[in-house]
Amino acid sequence: MGATRARAVRWLLSADDHDTVVARAVAVLRAGGLIALPTETVYGLGADASNAAAVGRIFAVKGRPADHPLIVHIAHADAMDDWAQAISPLARKLATQLWPGPLTLVLERRPHVLDAVTGGQATIGLRVPAHPLALAVLREFGGGVAAPSANRFGRVSPTSPEHVRSDLGDAVDLIVDGGPCTIGLESTIVDVSRGDDDAVILRPGGIGPEVLAEVARRPIPLRESAEVRVPGQLASHYAPRARLFAVDPEDLDQAVATHGSEALGIIVAGPTNGAPQWTQRGRAWKVVLDPEHEFARHLYAVLRELDERGCTVIIATLPAARELGVAIIDRLRRAAGSPPASSH
Ligand code: TXA
Ligand code: MG
């Protein structure tokens, strides 16, 4: 890896260099290196899922505990059978209808799958990401790419190549620049490894519960207890440096008054001109995000930006608990260090 490992190289995607970018990314993967891979949810820190040393580097770079499993990214639903077995009808249906997309399926693993990838569990998380560049890399590579979000453990996930660079710098061999992520929140994780009747959502995410229910023809419940190790389910995860308070919109004024002596960052939902609207009053910053199109997409970037602008306290208003709002509430509560009642 010599030259590429010494310095992170940022590849700009354009129509002309698309093939070069894909070829370089695949070369790094084959050589056991790490790439930052753009997906529609967040950027992943990817390695060849069948190379134990390469997978080990992911844990070292992220500072992630070794028993936390990684999602394996594949190019097509057909490749599920290379990694998983005893795949249920519901799992097939979800994969066929929702991949490529922000859905991770937890399935019974095949025996050859590395313990480093599964954290020693009997299951494996699989996903086909809906990003043209990620799919091109996965197709050309041919194998699976193990990839957690490309942030340091416990911090806010990166939704742009700049976020990856500022979090991981030269620890990653190649940052594949696929622009800003369109969804902006991690995938929904559904555990279908215990049979269709016991399917549960382990982590709400980019596919809302309504869409899952439509495909499954019944609601899939959100998991109640933390039997399976899912680091994103720890309290105080997805966290900015500032202290964060997640409040219902009607409690906003009270929260602002309570923390009025801090350098405040305030995130609210409301109409915008198609981009986050920033205003400053004294030391306080207020950001308005369109609830339909921008809240999820810009949330992580806004949290980072508020940190950079020196905010010591962030107050974010909670959206309605439907569609992507379910995942937004989950992440805001975890960033606030208080896991939602529904998952504990
Ligand atoms: O959208 C996403 O899911 C992004 C992109 C890069 O694909 N990835 C991501 O990875 O968020 P990570 O590692 O930050 O979060 C993946 C979650 C972790 O909480 C992990 O514990 C869980 O998936 N997970 C992976 N394999 C699992 C398994 N076999 N059983 C239960 N949970 C699993
Ligand atoms: Mg993560």
Side-chain angles (χ1 to χ4, degrees):
M1 286 310 309
T4 43
R5 184 166 291 178
R7 270 193 57 178
V9 185
R10 178 166 167 223
W11 291 84
L12 290 164
L13 174 65
S14 73
D16 296 340
D17 61 13
H18 176 275
D19 290 354
T20 315
V21 172
V22 172
R24 287 304 303 261
V26 169
V28 171
L29 288 171
R30 294 214 169 114
L34 298 184
I35 61 168
L37 186 70
T39 83
E40 79 281 30
T41 59
V42 301
Y43 272 71
L45 178 64
D48 177 354
S50 6
N51 179 333
V55 171
R57 276 189 68 205
I58 293 180
F59 288 87
V61 164
K62 271 197 68 123
R64 176 169 168 132
D67 62 352
H68 289 299
L70 302 176
I71 296 170
V72 174
H73 297 72
I74 51 179
H76 194 274
D78 292 347
M80 272 171 109
D81 300 271
D82 297 344
W83 301 90
Q85 58 193 17
I87 300 171
S88 70
L90 177 61
R92 294 262 180 222
K93 198 166 170 188
L94 291 170
T96 319
Q97 296 195 31
L98 299 174
W99 280 350
L103 172 72
T104 295
L105 294 175
V106 171
L107 300 155
E108 188 179 316
R109 77 184 224 188
R110 281 201 177 275
H112 72 82
V113 180
L114 295 174
D115 279 338
V117 168
T118 66
Q121 303 192 59
T123 55
I124 180 168
L126 291 177
R127 168 164 123 79
V128 179
H131 189 293
L133 199 45
L135 285 173
V137 170
L138 289 168
R139 253 184 242 120
E140 183 69 23
F141 178 58
V145 171
S149 50
N151 52 286
R152 305 249 176 225
F153 186 68
R155 311 305 300 185
V156 178
S157 297
T159 52
S160 76
E162 291 76 20
H163 295 164
V164 179
R165 189 198 269 293
S166 85
D167 277 10
L168 301 179
D170 290 353
V172 46
D173 300 310
L174 184 71
I175 298 176
V176 178
D177 184 346
C181 300
T182 51
I183 292 194
L185 288 176
E186 301 81 353
S187 62
T188 303
I189 304 178
V190 178
D191 185 348
V192 269
S193 68
R194 297 161 194 221
D196 288 355
D197 293 342
D198 294 319
V200 282
I201 299 175
L202 296 182
R203 176 179 74 179
I207 288 196
E210 299 83 356
V211 175
L212 286 176
E214 202 179 302
V215 175
R217 296 187 180 279
R218 63 180 173 81
I220 298 182
L222 193 59
R223 181 270 313 261
E224 295 287 339
S225 71
E227 295 156 55
V228 190
R229 291 188 294 268
V230 183
Q233 302 306 97
L234 297 173
S236 191
H237 214 81
Y238 309 102
R241 286 193 298 273
R243 271 189 303 150
L244 188 137
F245 296 89
V247 300
D248 287 323
E250 61 269 25
D251 298 330
L252 178 64
D253 292 346
Q254 177 63 51
V256 169
T258 305
H259 300 285
S261 60
E262 303 275 351
L264 271 189
I266 302 164
I267 305 174
V268 295
T272 70
N273 301 332
Q277 305 290 300
W278 288 78
T279 48
Q280 186 180 21
R281 184 184 287 176
R283 289 199 305 157
W285 287 96
K286 183 175 174 185
V287 197
V288 183
L289 296 170
D290 178 277
E292 294 259 312
H293 309 294
E294 292 169 3
F295 213 104
R297 187 179 301 176
H298 294 289
L299 180 63
Y300 288 163
V302 165
L303 292 176
R304 284 169 182 264
E305 182 93 39
L306 289 170
D307 267 345
E308 273 158 32
R309 294 185 189 205
C311 294
T312 51
V313 165
I314 297 173
I315 300 172
T317 53
L318 293 162
R322 57 169 187 270
E323 299 169 359
L324 273 184
V326 179
I328 294 170
I329 293 170
D330 176 85
R331 301 308 188 274
L332 285 175
R333 292 231 163 109
R334 288 180 200 290
S338 55
S342 60
S343 50
H344 280 276

